[in-house]
Amino acid sequence: MLIQFILVLAVLTIMYVFVRSSGTIYVQASKRIALVLFALVNVYAVMRPNDLSVIAHFLGVGRGTDLVLYALVV
């Protein structure tokens, strides 16, 4: 349970840093939306790892962690 809290906090912190509006970091709106969606999927995967394994098996991948790795590579 502690690791889930730490991982969700890390994802939200990274999302805040990259999505916030500041003069030094220029990020297009489409990239911000993609980052927010990616962060939401990550939070869901951290909170419900068994669901990720079910999705992985449905797609023909052995484990949920392998599915995450493949998604990150793509």
Side-chain angles (χ1 to χ4, degrees):
M1 188 72 173
L2 179 63
I3 190 66
Q4 287 177 327
F5 176 74
I6 293 169
L7 290 172
V8 169
L9 186 62
V11 168
L12 293 177
T13 302
I14 290 170
M15 184 179 67
Y16 174 75
V17 168
F18 284 107
V19 173
R20 70 186 165 120
S21 233
S22 71
T24 59
I25 301 175
Y26 177 74
V27 179
Q28 294 176 342
S30 60
K31 290 181 183 177
R32 288 182 184 182
I33 291 170
L35 181 65
V36 169
L37 290 175
F38 184 71
L40 290 174
V41 169
N42 277 313
V43 168
Y44 182 78
V46 166
M47 299 306 291
R48 306 284 309 241
N50 291 333
D51 290 353
L52 190 63
S53 293
V54 170
I55 294 169
H57 286 288
F58 177 74
L59 295 174
V61 180
R63 300 179 304 171
T65 54
D66 293 337
L67 179 64
V68 171
L69 177 65
Y70 299 155
L72 287 174
V73 167
V74 169

